[in-house]
């Protein structure tokens, strides 16, 4: 069982359903809560959700969270916590920026931000998987139709053979069906053929 | 008729709320509710430039102004950008300056190839003086690191 900043979580694969386990979990939680209460309201003792990160602004909704958004480019907290090497960079930042190396400048940027704009807006290639999966499902639909035709549907009636269809058409023409604008209007009765 | 009355009531409510704010109001402006603002472009530029040029600006206010600018349908004038970069220098925040430049570049939208080189050319003296690198100089115009999608972890 590992304990991280945000609380307690199980390593993958472990089942927490064992009642002994659950009791151990509950005891751990009680201990943590007691520690918090005992520590009172000192900021250092409270397990802060943002850890050691510096709060720098409003963000996009006033909460102290970090989100990379193009429309709200400056998040409320810095991305990385104030570790000693970050603090050392901050000291250098107070001096002349011309003296910073490119690596230090990049490290300063990455300390405050997770992704650059080009990384946020980089194409994900998701369209390929969307197109591929939709085509696969469409082809499954075609397979389903083929199986239905082969094994499920009964054979077509014999009236569908070409000879019988021709005979039916001849009957329609003989009966002058749709003579004004339809099929018989296209038949030339003197010639005995289509117009 | 009703809308005009509501607008006026809204205005009064807004200005009274702004007055009671403990922070210095971000921008002292007559905020009309209709789209027809009486402020000219020059006044708008001057207002934002003056805001960034405040000697006692703090990080919260600078970010607020930058976020507001990025929310508007415009590309900031070079003088606003210069004032913002100088504010970053006063705040000792290099990353904020680079982020703001990325924001400005993104605001150019489809016309980036025409507008962004002009902006860089105008602010180049300030960039050299303060030692701010553009995102291109840092190699951040192309993606550098990849982030695993939370749904793939």
């Amino acid at each position: 069982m590992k304990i991280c900043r945000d609380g307690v979580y199980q390593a993958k694969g472990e089942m927490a359903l064992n009642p002994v386990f659950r009791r151990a979990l509950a005891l751990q939680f009680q201990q943590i809560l007691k520690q918090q209460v005992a520590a009172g309201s000192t900021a250092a003792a409270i397990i802060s959700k943002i850890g050691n990160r510096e709060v720098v602004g409003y963000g996009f909704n006033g909460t102290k969270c970090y989100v990379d958004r193009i429309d709200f480019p400056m998040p409320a907290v810095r991305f990385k916590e104030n570790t000693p090497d970050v603090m050392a960079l901050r000291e250098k930042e107070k001096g002349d920026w011309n003296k910073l190396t490119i690596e230090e400048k990049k490290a300063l940027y990455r300390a405050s931000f997770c992704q650059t704009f080009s990384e946020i807006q980089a194409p994900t290639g998701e369209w390929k998987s969307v197109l591929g999966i939709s085509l696969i499902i469409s082809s499954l639909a075609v397979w389903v139709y083929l199986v239905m035709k082969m094994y499920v549907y009964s054979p077509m009636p014999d009236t569908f053979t070409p000879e019988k269809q021709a005979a039916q058409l001849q009957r329609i023409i003989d009966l002058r069906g749709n003579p004004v604008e339809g099929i018989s209007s296209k038949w030339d009765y003197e010639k005995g053929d289509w117009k | 008729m009703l809308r005009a009355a509501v607008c006026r009531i809204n205005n009064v409510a807004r200005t009274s709320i702004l007055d009671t704010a403990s922070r210095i109001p971000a921008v002292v402006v007559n905020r009309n509710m209709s789209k027809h603002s009486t402020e000219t472009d020059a006044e708008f530029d001057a207002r934002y430039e003056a805001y960034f040029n405040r000697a006692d600006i703090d990080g919260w206010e600078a970010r607020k102004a930058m976020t507001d600018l990025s929310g508007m349908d415009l590309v900031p004038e070079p003088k606003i950008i210069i004032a913002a970069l100088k504010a970053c220098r006063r705040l000792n925040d290099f990353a904020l300056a680079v982020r703001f430049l990325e924001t400005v570049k993104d605001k150019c939208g489809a016309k980036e190839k025409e507008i962004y080189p002009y902006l860089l050319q105008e602010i180049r003296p300030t960039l050299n003086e303060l030692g701010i690198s553009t995102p291109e100089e840092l190699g951040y115009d192309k993606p550098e690191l990849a982030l695993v999608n939370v749904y793939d972890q």
Side-chain angles (χ1 to χ4, degrees):
Chain A
M1 205 174 0
K2 292 184 199 151
I3 300 182
C4 71
R5 241 186 302 114
D6 297 328
V8 177
Y9 74 93
Q10 302 294 100
K12 280 192 192 161
E14 281 182 27
M15 300 290 283
L17 300 176
N18 188 342
V20 172
F21 237 48
R22 267 197 277 167
R23 181 140 171 75
L25 253 175
L27 279 172
Q28 282 248 340
F29 263 123
Q30 281 177 12
Q31 270 186 356
I32 292 175
L33 278 171
K34 270 193 216 142
Q35 278 170 16
Q36 283 190 357
V37 168
S41 57
T42 51
I46 293 175
I47 301 174
S48 163
K49 280 189 181 172
I50 61 172
N52 198 8
R53 289 174 176 79
E54 189 186 346
V55 178
V56 283
Y58 183 77
F60 62 94
N61 67 351
T63 55
K64 298 179 185 59
C65 62
Y66 182 94
V67 181
D68 276 316
R69 286 179 66 155
I70 302 293
D71 50 347
F72 290 92
M74 283 94 195
V77 296
R78 298 207 190 270
F79 179 58
K80 292 202 176 139
E81 300 191 47
N82 283 343
T83 60
D85 36 305
V86 168
M87 299 310 287
L89 271 176
R90 296 247 172 268
E91 287 305 312
K92 285 197 89 169
E93 207 181 3
K94 292 181 184 160
D96 188 8
W97 288 343
N98 277 308
K99 297 204 176 57
L100 295 171
T101 66
I102 295 279
E103 269 62 38
E104 286 170 339
K105 288 179 174 176
K106 288 167 78 154
L108 274 171
Y109 185 91
R110 293 287 181 185
S112 290
F113 302 108
C114 177
Q115 286 189 302
T116 69
F117 266 52
S118 56
E119 285 161 11
I120 299 171
Q121 295 172 316
T124 60
E126 194 190 356
W127 69 273
K128 295 178 215 165
S129 71
V130 169
L131 186 65
I133 291 175
S134 4
L135 287 175
I136 288 172
I137 295 178
S138 310
S139 70
L140 283 177
V142 173
W143 275 113
V144 165
Y145 165 72
L146 290 172
V147 164
M148 294 282 287
K149 187 79 180 92
M150 281 180 62
Y151 296 113
V152 177
Y153 295 143
S154 12
M156 297 274 253
D158 58 342
T159 48
F160 279 87
T161 63
E163 300 78 23
K164 297 220 168 153
Q165 286 199 3
Q168 287 167 56
L169 180 57
Q170 183 62 58
R171 186 188 143 93
I172 292 171
I173 291 170
D174 293 342
L175 288 173
R176 287 1 184 221
N178 292 333
V180 180
E181 302 242 346
I183 189 85
S184 300
S185 67
K186 306 282 187 282
W187 183 265
D188 191 343
Y189 286 93
E190 274 94 54
K191 212 164 47 158
D193 200 353
W194 297 108
K195 287 183 181 164
Chain B
M1 178 66 211
L2 176 63
R3 188 201 263 184
V6 169
C7 283
R8 233 166 265 138
I9 295 172
N10 236 327
N11 239 347
V12 169
R14 231 173 236 284
T15 45
S16 65
I17 289 168
L18 271 177
D19 285 343
T20 54
S22 56
R23 281 199 173 277
I24 301 168
V27 279
V28 180
V29 70
N30 180 24
R31 288 185 65 174
N32 302 320
M33 292 305 283
S34 73
K35 288 199 178 70
H36 301 295
S37 166
T38 53
E39 193 182 41
T40 66
D41 285 348
E43 285 170 0
F44 176 86
D45 295 342
R47 181 161 57 88
Y48 268 92
E49 199 187 346
Y51 187 72
F52 279 120
N53 278 336
R54 288 173 45 223
D56 58 344
I57 195 172
D58 75 11
W60 193 102
E61 294 168 346
R63 283 172 172 80
K64 159 95 180 129
M66 289 174 183
T67 307
D68 286 349
L69 279 174
S70 76
M72 298 182 207
D73 183 18
L74 50 83
V75 181
E77 279 281 326
K79 48 180 167 16
I80 303 181
I81 303 175
I82 290 170
L85 294 177
K86 293 201 173 130
C88 293
R89 174 65 267 193
R90 267 176 274 129
L91 293 167
N92 292 326
D93 203 334
F94 176 80
L96 185 63
V98 179
R99 190 71 157 189
F100 183 61
L101 286 176
E102 282 187 305
T103 308
V104 163
K105 181 176 174 188
D106 185 69
K107 289 306 291 179
C108 298
K111 295 201 183 335
E112 187 188 307
K113 287 198 182 47
E114 305 154 24
I115 306 182
Y116 189 58
Y118 162 72
L119 289 174
L120 279 185
Q121 166 202 321
E122 294 290 312
I123 64 175
R124 182 51 64 185
T126 313
L127 291 179
N128 293 339
E129 170 201 339
L130 299 177
I132 299 174
S133 310
T134 64
E136 293 75 38
E137 286 162 17
L138 293 178
Y140 284 157
D141 52 335
K142 301 271 180 305
E144 185 194 40
L145 304 175
L147 198 62
V148 181
N149 194 334
V150 288
Y151 301 112
D152 296 336
Q153 286 173 2

